[in-house]
Short mmCIF file of all heavy atoms in Angstrom, two decimals:
data_model
loop_
_atom_site.label_atom_id
_atom_site.label_comp_id
_atom_site.label_asym_id
_atom_site.label_seq_id
_atom_site.Cartn_x
_atom_site.Cartn_y
_atom_site.Cartn_z
N ASP A 103 220.28 296.92 93.74
CA ASP A 103 219.82 296.28 92.52
C ASP A 103 220.96 296.14 91.50
O ASP A 103 220.79 295.58 90.45
CB ASP A 103 218.63 297.00 91.90
CG ASP A 103 218.89 298.47 91.65
OD1 ASP A 103 220.04 298.85 91.50
OD2 ASP A 103 217.92 299.22 91.62
N GLN A 104 222.15 296.67 91.89
CA GLN A 104 223.32 296.51 91.01
C GLN A 104 224.57 296.63 91.85
O GLN A 104 224.55 297.23 92.93
CB GLN A 104 223.33 297.53 89.87
CG GLN A 104 223.25 298.97 90.35
CD GLN A 104 223.13 299.92 89.17
OE1 GLN A 104 224.09 300.15 88.49
NE2 GLN A 104 221.94 300.45 88.98
N TYR A 105 225.63 296.06 91.36
CA TYR A 105 226.91 296.06 92.07
C TYR A 105 228.01 296.06 91.02
O TYR A 105 227.92 295.36 90.00
CB TYR A 105 227.00 294.83 92.98
CG TYR A 105 228.25 294.82 93.85
CD1 TYR A 105 228.35 295.67 94.92
CD2 TYR A 105 229.25 293.90 93.59
CE1 TYR A 105 229.49 295.64 95.74
CE2 TYR A 105 230.39 293.87 94.39
CZ TYR A 105 230.51 294.72 95.45
OH TYR A 105 231.62 294.70 96.26
N ARG A 106 229.07 296.80 91.29
CA ARG A 106 230.14 296.95 90.31
C ARG A 106 231.50 296.72 91.02
O ARG A 106 231.70 297.25 92.10
CB ARG A 106 230.06 298.37 89.74
CG ARG A 106 230.90 298.63 88.51
CD ARG A 106 230.45 299.99 87.90
NE ARG A 106 229.07 299.91 87.41
CZ ARG A 106 227.98 300.35 88.07
NH1 ARG A 106 228.09 300.95 89.20
NH2 ARG A 106 226.79 300.19 87.57
N ILE A 107 232.37 296.00 90.35
CA ILE A 107 233.73 295.76 90.88
C ILE A 107 234.69 296.21 89.77
O ILE A 107 234.59 295.79 88.63
CB ILE A 107 233.97 294.27 91.13
CG1 ILE A 107 232.99 293.76 92.20
CG2 ILE A 107 235.42 294.01 91.57
CD1 ILE A 107 233.01 292.22 92.36
N PHE A 108 235.66 297.04 90.17
CA PHE A 108 236.72 297.46 89.26
C PHE A 108 238.01 296.77 89.65
O PHE A 108 238.28 296.56 90.82
CB PHE A 108 236.94 298.97 89.31
CG PHE A 108 235.90 299.78 88.64
CD1 PHE A 108 234.95 300.47 89.39
CD2 PHE A 108 235.86 299.92 87.27
CE1 PHE A 108 233.95 301.24 88.76
CE2 PHE A 108 234.89 300.68 86.63
CZ PHE A 108 233.92 301.34 87.40
N ARG A 109 238.80 296.41 88.65
CA ARG A 109 240.17 295.92 88.85
C ARG A 109 241.06 296.90 88.09
O ARG A 109 240.66 297.49 87.07
CB ARG A 109 240.35 294.55 88.22
CG ARG A 109 239.50 293.47 88.82
CD ARG A 109 240.16 292.83 90.03
NE ARG A 109 239.40 291.71 90.50
CZ ARG A 109 238.58 291.74 91.54
NH1 ARG A 109 238.41 292.84 92.21
NH2 ARG A 109 237.95 290.64 91.92
N PHE A 110 242.30 297.07 88.59
CA PHE A 110 243.19 298.13 88.05
C PHE A 110 244.51 297.58 87.63
O PHE A 110 245.07 296.66 88.27
CB PHE A 110 243.36 299.23 89.11
CG PHE A 110 242.07 299.85 89.53
CD1 PHE A 110 241.40 299.42 90.66
CD2 PHE A 110 241.52 300.89 88.78
CE1 PHE A 110 240.21 300.00 91.06
CE2 PHE A 110 240.32 301.46 89.16
CZ PHE A 110 239.66 301.02 90.29
N ASP A 111 245.10 298.16 86.59
CA ASP A 111 246.47 297.84 86.16
C ASP A 111 247.44 298.61 87.09
O ASP A 111 247.04 299.42 87.92
CB ASP A 111 246.66 298.32 84.72
CG ASP A 111 246.12 297.34 83.71
OD1 ASP A 111 246.24 296.13 83.94
OD2 ASP A 111 245.57 297.79 82.68
N ALA A 112 248.73 298.31 86.89
CA ALA A 112 249.76 298.91 87.76
C ALA A 112 249.77 300.43 87.66
O ALA A 112 250.10 301.10 88.66
CB ALA A 112 251.12 298.35 87.35
N ASP A 113 249.42 301.00 86.50
CA ASP A 113 249.36 302.47 86.38
C ASP A 113 248.09 303.09 86.90
O ASP A 113 247.92 304.32 86.81
CB ASP A 113 249.60 302.88 84.91
CG ASP A 113 248.46 302.39 84.00
OD1 ASP A 113 247.49 301.77 84.46
OD2 ASP A 113 248.56 302.66 82.77
N GLY A 114 247.21 302.27 87.45
CA GLY A 114 245.98 302.79 88.05
C GLY A 114 244.78 302.82 87.10
O GLY A 114 243.66 303.08 87.52
N GLY A 115 245.03 302.57 85.81
CA GLY A 115 243.92 302.51 84.85
C GLY A 115 243.03 301.32 85.06
O GLY A 115 243.48 300.30 85.60
N ILE A 116 241.80 301.43 84.64
CA ILE A 116 240.87 300.31 84.81
C ILE A 116 241.33 299.15 83.93
O ILE A 116 241.59 299.30 82.75
CB ILE A 116 239.42 300.73 84.40
CG1 ILE A 116 238.92 301.83 85.32
CG2 ILE A 116 238.48 299.51 84.47
CD1 ILE A 116 237.58 302.45 84.92
N ARG A 117 241.46 297.99 84.55
CA ARG A 117 241.84 296.78 83.86
C ARG A 117 240.62 295.91 83.54
O ARG A 117 240.56 295.24 82.54
CB ARG A 117 242.79 295.97 84.77
CG ARG A 117 243.12 294.62 84.27
CD ARG A 117 243.87 293.84 85.34
NE ARG A 117 244.09 292.49 84.90
CZ ARG A 117 245.25 291.97 84.65
NH1 ARG A 117 246.34 292.70 84.80
NH2 ARG A 117 245.38 290.73 84.22
N ALA A 118 239.63 295.94 84.47
CA ALA A 118 238.41 295.16 84.29
C ALA A 118 237.28 295.80 85.11
O ALA A 118 237.55 296.47 86.10
CB ALA A 118 238.64 293.73 84.77
N CYS A 119 236.08 295.56 84.65
CA CYS A 119 234.88 295.99 85.35
C CYS A 119 233.85 294.86 85.30
O CYS A 119 233.52 294.39 84.21
CB CYS A 119 234.29 297.27 84.74
SG CYS A 119 232.77 297.82 85.53
N LEU A 120 233.41 294.42 86.45
CA LEU A 120 232.37 293.40 86.55
C LEU A 120 231.13 294.06 87.11
O LEU A 120 231.19 294.70 88.18
CB LEU A 120 232.80 292.26 87.46
CG LEU A 120 233.89 291.32 86.95
CD1 LEU A 120 235.26 292.00 87.04
CD2 LEU A 120 233.89 290.07 87.74
N THR A 121 230.03 293.99 86.39
CA THR A 121 228.79 294.61 86.82
C THR A 121 227.72 293.52 86.95
O THR A 121 227.55 292.67 86.09
CB THR A 121 228.30 295.65 85.79
OG1 THR A 121 229.32 296.65 85.63
CG2 THR A 121 227.01 296.27 86.21
N PHE A 122 227.03 293.54 88.10
CA PHE A 122 225.94 292.60 88.41
C PHE A 122 224.66 293.39 88.54
O PHE A 122 224.63 294.37 89.29
CB PHE A 122 226.25 291.82 89.67
CG PHE A 122 227.58 291.08 89.60
CD1 PHE A 122 228.76 291.67 89.99
CD2 PHE A 122 227.62 289.78 89.12
CE1 PHE A 122 229.96 291.01 89.92
CE2 PHE A 122 228.81 289.08 89.03
CZ PHE A 122 229.98 289.72 89.45
N VAL A 123 223.62 292.98 87.82
CA VAL A 123 222.38 293.74 87.81
C VAL A 123 221.20 292.80 88.09
O VAL A 123 221.03 291.78 87.40
CB VAL A 123 222.13 294.45 86.43
CG1 VAL A 123 220.88 295.30 86.48
CG2 VAL A 123 223.34 295.30 86.09
N ASN A 124 220.42 293.14 89.10
CA ASN A 124 219.23 292.38 89.45
C ASN A 124 218.02 293.00 88.76
O ASN A 124 217.56 294.07 89.12
CB ASN A 124 219.04 292.37 90.98
CG ASN A 124 217.87 291.54 91.44
OD1 ASN A 124 217.02 291.15 90.62
ND2 ASN A 124 217.79 291.27 92.70
N MET A 125 217.51 292.33 87.73
CA MET A 125 216.38 292.85 86.96
C MET A 125 215.04 292.45 87.57
O MET A 125 213.97 292.79 87.01
CB MET A 125 216.45 292.30 85.53
CG MET A 125 217.69 292.76 84.78
SD MET A 125 217.81 294.53 84.58
CE MET A 125 216.36 294.86 83.58
N GLY A 126 215.05 291.77 88.72
CA GLY A 126 213.79 291.34 89.33
C GLY A 126 213.16 292.39 90.22
O GLY A 126 212.01 292.20 90.65
N GLY A 127 213.84 293.45 90.51
CA GLY A 127 213.28 294.47 91.38
C GLY A 127 212.84 295.70 90.63
O GLY A 127 212.13 295.61 89.61
N ARG A 128 213.30 296.87 91.07
CA ARG A 128 212.83 298.11 90.49
C ARG A 128 213.33 298.32 89.05
O ARG A 128 212.79 299.16 88.34
CB ARG A 128 213.22 299.31 91.36
CG ARG A 128 214.69 299.60 91.42
CD ARG A 128 214.99 300.84 92.29
NE ARG A 128 216.39 301.14 92.28
CZ ARG A 128 216.93 301.97 91.39
NH1 ARG A 128 216.22 302.54 90.47
NH2 ARG A 128 218.25 302.19 91.41
N LEU A 129 214.29 297.55 88.63
CA LEU A 129 214.79 297.68 87.26
C LEU A 129 214.02 296.81 86.26
O LEU A 129 214.29 296.84 85.06
CB LEU A 129 216.28 297.31 87.17
CG LEU A 129 217.24 298.25 87.95
CD1 LEU A 129 218.67 297.73 87.86
CD2 LEU A 129 217.12 299.67 87.44
N ALA A 130 213.05 296.04 86.75
CA ALA A 130 212.30 295.13 85.90
C ALA A 130 211.66 295.82 84.72
O ALA A 130 211.57 295.25 83.61
CB ALA A 130 211.24 294.39 86.71
N ASP A 131 211.21 297.05 84.87
CA ASP A 131 210.52 297.77 83.80
C ASP A 131 211.41 298.81 83.12
O ASP A 131 210.92 299.64 82.35
CB ASP A 131 209.27 298.45 84.33
CG ASP A 131 208.25 297.42 84.84
OD1 ASP A 131 208.14 296.36 84.22
OD2 ASP A 131 207.58 297.69 85.86
N ALA A 132 212.71 298.75 83.39
CA ALA A 132 213.62 299.73 82.79
C ALA A 132 213.70 299.53 81.30
O ALA A 132 213.68 298.40 80.78
CB ALA A 132 215.03 299.58 83.42
N HIS A 133 213.78 300.64 80.57
CA HIS A 133 213.95 300.58 79.12
C HIS A 133 215.33 300.08 78.82
O HIS A 133 216.32 300.61 79.37
CB HIS A 133 213.69 301.96 78.50
CG HIS A 133 213.66 301.94 77.04
ND1 HIS A 133 214.79 301.90 76.26
CD2 HIS A 133 212.60 301.97 76.16
CE1 HIS A 133 214.46 301.88 74.99
NE2 HIS A 133 213.14 301.92 74.91
N PRO A 134 215.50 299.08 77.97
CA PRO A 134 216.82 298.48 77.70
C PRO A 134 217.87 299.51 77.29
O PRO A 134 219.01 299.45 77.76
CB PRO A 134 216.56 297.46 76.61
CG PRO A 134 215.12 297.14 76.72
CD PRO A 134 214.44 298.38 77.20
N ALA A 135 217.55 300.43 76.38
CA ALA A 135 218.54 301.40 75.92
C ALA A 135 218.96 302.36 77.03
O ALA A 135 220.14 302.67 77.17
CB ALA A 135 218.00 302.18 74.72
N GLU A 136 218.00 302.79 77.84
CA GLU A 136 218.33 303.66 78.97
C GLU A 136 219.18 302.94 80.00
O GLU A 136 220.15 303.50 80.53
CB GLU A 136 217.08 304.22 79.61
CG GLU A 136 216.32 305.18 78.72
CD GLU A 136 214.97 305.60 79.31
OE1 GLU A 136 214.65 305.19 80.43
OE2 GLU A 136 214.24 306.34 78.62
N LEU A 137 218.84 301.69 80.29
CA LEU A 137 219.64 300.91 81.26
C LEU A 137 221.03 300.66 80.69
O LEU A 137 222.02 300.80 81.44
CB LEU A 137 218.93 299.57 81.54
CG LEU A 137 219.59 298.67 82.57
CD1 LEU A 137 219.70 299.39 83.93
CD2 LEU A 137 218.84 297.37 82.71
N ALA A 138 221.14 300.34 79.43
CA ALA A 138 222.45 300.11 78.81
C ALA A 138 223.31 301.36 78.91
O ALA A 138 224.50 301.29 79.25
CB ALA A 138 222.26 299.68 77.37
N GLU A 139 222.70 302.52 78.61
CA GLU A 139 223.47 303.77 78.69
C GLU A 139 223.96 304.03 80.12
O GLU A 139 225.10 304.44 80.31
CB GLU A 139 222.57 304.91 78.19
CG GLU A 139 223.32 306.22 78.05
CD GLU A 139 222.44 307.35 77.51
OE1 GLU A 139 221.22 307.20 77.42
OE2 GLU A 139 223.04 308.39 77.21
N ALA A 140 223.09 303.81 81.08
CA ALA A 140 223.48 304.01 82.47
C ALA A 140 224.63 303.05 82.91
O ALA A 140 225.59 303.50 83.53
CB ALA A 140 222.28 303.85 83.42
N MET A 141 224.50 301.79 82.53
CA MET A 141 225.51 300.81 82.91
C MET A 141 226.87 301.12 82.25
O MET A 141 227.91 301.04 82.89
CB MET A 141 225.10 299.40 82.46
CG MET A 141 223.87 298.84 83.18
SD MET A 141 224.08 298.65 84.97
CE MET A 141 223.08 299.97 85.56
N MET A 142 226.83 301.58 81.00
CA MET A 142 228.09 301.92 80.34
C MET A 142 228.70 303.15 80.93
O MET A 142 229.92 303.23 81.14
CB MET A 142 227.87 302.08 78.82
CG MET A 142 227.96 300.80 78.08
SD MET A 142 229.46 299.80 78.46
CE MET A 142 230.76 300.90 77.91
N MET A 143 227.90 304.17 81.22
CA MET A 143 228.43 305.41 81.78
C MET A 143 229.12 305.10 83.13
O MET A 143 230.21 305.60 83.40
CB MET A 143 227.29 306.42 81.98
CG MET A 143 227.80 307.77 82.43
SD MET A 143 226.56 309.07 82.17
CE MET A 143 226.81 309.39 80.44
N ARG A 144 228.50 304.25 83.93
CA ARG A 144 229.04 303.90 85.24
C ARG A 144 230.28 303.03 85.16
O ARG A 144 231.04 302.92 86.12
CB ARG A 144 227.98 303.24 86.08
CG ARG A 144 226.83 304.19 86.38
CD ARG A 144 225.62 303.51 86.98
NE ARG A 144 224.48 304.41 87.03
CZ ARG A 144 223.25 304.07 87.19
NH1 ARG A 144 222.94 302.77 87.31
NH2 ARG A 144 222.28 304.96 87.20
N ALA A 145 230.48 302.40 84.00
CA ALA A 145 231.67 301.52 83.83
C ALA A 145 232.84 302.26 83.19
O ALA A 145 233.95 301.74 83.16
CB ALA A 145 231.31 300.32 82.95
N MET A 146 232.61 303.47 82.69
CA MET A 146 233.65 304.22 81.98
C MET A 146 234.65 304.89 82.89
O MET A 146 235.80 305.07 82.56
CB MET A 146 233.04 305.24 81.05
CG MET A 146 232.25 304.66 79.89
SD MET A 146 233.26 303.67 78.77
CE MET A 146 234.22 304.95 78.00
N LEU A 147 234.18 305.33 84.10
CA LEU A 147 235.02 305.99 85.09
C LEU A 147 234.68 305.47 86.48
O LEU A 147 233.57 304.93 86.66
CB LEU A 147 234.82 307.51 85.06
CG LEU A 147 235.20 308.27 83.78
CD1 LEU A 147 234.75 309.73 83.89
CD2 LEU A 147 236.69 308.17 83.52
N THR A 148 235.54 305.69 87.42
CA THR A 148 235.31 305.23 88.81
C THR A 148 234.52 306.24 89.59
O THR A 148 235.02 306.82 90.57
CB THR A 148 236.65 304.94 89.51
OG1 THR A 148 237.47 306.12 89.40
CG2 THR A 148 237.38 303.72 88.91
N PHE A 149 233.27 306.43 89.20
CA PHE A 149 232.41 307.35 89.95
C PHE A 149 232.22 306.82 91.37
O PHE A 149 232.10 305.62 91.58
CB PHE A 149 231.05 307.48 89.27
CG PHE A 149 231.09 308.21 87.96
CD1 PHE A 149 230.95 307.51 86.76
CD2 PHE A 149 231.28 309.58 87.92
CE1 PHE A 149 231.00 308.17 85.51
CE2 PHE A 149 231.34 310.24 86.68
CZ PHE A 149 231.20 309.54 85.51
N SER A 150 232.17 307.73 92.33
CA SER A 150 232.02 307.33 93.74
C SER A 150 230.57 307.06 94.13
O SER A 150 230.31 306.57 95.21
CB SER A 150 232.63 308.38 94.64
OG SER A 150 231.91 309.60 94.51
N ARG A 151 229.66 307.39 93.24
CA ARG A 151 228.23 307.16 93.53
C ARG A 151 227.53 306.86 92.19
O ARG A 151 228.11 307.05 91.11
CB ARG A 151 227.60 308.35 94.21
CG ARG A 151 227.63 309.61 93.39
CD ARG A 151 226.95 310.75 94.14
NE ARG A 151 226.77 311.90 93.30
CZ ARG A 151 227.41 313.04 93.47
NH1 ARG A 151 228.27 313.19 94.43
NH2 ARG A 151 227.14 314.07 92.68
N GLU A 152 226.30 306.41 92.27
CA GLU A 152 225.54 306.13 91.07
C GLU A 152 225.29 307.45 90.33
O GLU A 152 224.94 308.45 90.95
CB GLU A 152 224.22 305.45 91.39
CG GLU A 152 224.39 304.04 91.95
CD GLU A 152 225.12 303.10 91.03
OE1 GLU A 152 224.90 303.13 89.80
OE2 GLU A 152 225.96 302.32 91.55
N VAL A 153 225.46 307.43 89.04
CA VAL A 153 225.20 308.59 88.21
C VAL A 153 224.21 308.24 87.15
O VAL A 153 224.05 307.06 86.79
CB VAL A 153 226.50 309.14 87.55
CG1 VAL A 153 227.47 309.66 88.61
CG2 VAL A 153 227.18 308.07 86.71
N SER A 154 223.48 309.22 86.68
CA SER A 154 222.51 309.01 85.63
C SER A 154 223.00 309.66 84.34
O SER A 154 223.64 310.71 84.36
CB SER A 154 221.14 309.64 85.99
OG SER A 154 220.64 309.00 87.15
N PRO A 155 222.76 309.02 83.20
CA PRO A 155 223.24 309.57 81.94
C PRO A 155 222.75 311.00 81.70
O PRO A 155 221.61 311.36 81.98
CB PRO A 155 222.63 308.64 80.89
CG PRO A 155 222.41 307.37 81.63
CD PRO A 155 222.07 307.77 83.02
N SER A 156 223.67 311.84 81.23
CA SER A 156 223.33 313.21 80.88
C SER A 156 224.40 313.71 79.92
O SER A 156 225.51 313.13 79.82
CB SER A 156 223.30 314.10 82.11
OG SER A 156 224.59 314.28 82.67
N ALA A 157 224.08 314.79 79.22
CA ALA A 157 225.06 315.38 78.30
C ALA A 157 226.29 315.86 79.09
O ALA A 157 227.42 315.80 78.57
CB ALA A 157 224.43 316.53 77.52
N GLU A 158 226.08 316.39 80.29
CA GLU A 158 227.20 316.88 81.11
C GLU A 158 228.16 315.73 81.48
O GLU A 158 229.37 315.90 81.37
CB GLU A 158 226.68 317.50 82.40
CG GLU A 158 226.11 318.88 82.24
CD GLU A 158 225.77 319.51 83.56
OE1 GLU A 158 225.32 318.81 84.49
OE2 GLU A 158 225.95 320.72 83.71
N LEU A 159 227.59 314.59 81.89
CA LEU A 159 228.46 313.47 82.24
C LEU A 159 229.15 312.88 81.01
O LEU A 159 230.28 312.43 81.11
CB LEU A 159 227.68 312.42 82.99
CG LEU A 159 227.38 312.75 84.47
CD1 LEU A 159 226.63 311.62 85.15
CD2 LEU A 159 228.64 313.11 85.23
N ALA A 160 228.46 312.89 79.88
CA ALA A 160 229.12 312.43 78.65
C ALA A 160 230.32 313.33 78.32
O ALA A 160 231.37 312.82 77.93
CB ALA A 160 228.12 312.40 77.50
#
Side-chain angles (χ1 to χ4, degrees):
D103 54 27
Q104 57 186 283
Y105 185 72
R106 194 167 294 98
I107 299 170
F108 285 104
R109 300 272 188 259
F110 301 95
D111 280 321
D113 64 1
I116 298 172
R117 172 190 175 113
C119 177
L120 289 76
T121 300
F122 302 90
V123 184
N124 183 346
M125 297 300 295
R128 68 178 184 91
L129 296 177
D131 297 323
H133 187 282
E136 291 174 4
L137 183 60
E139 188 178 10
M141 294 298 107
M142 274 310 297
M143 186 164 279
R144 295 169 189 163
M146 293 297 290
L147 296 173
T148 53
F149 292 106
S150 63
R151 62 178 190 249
E152 293 301 320
V153 294
S154 296
S156 69
E158 283 186 325
L159 284 182

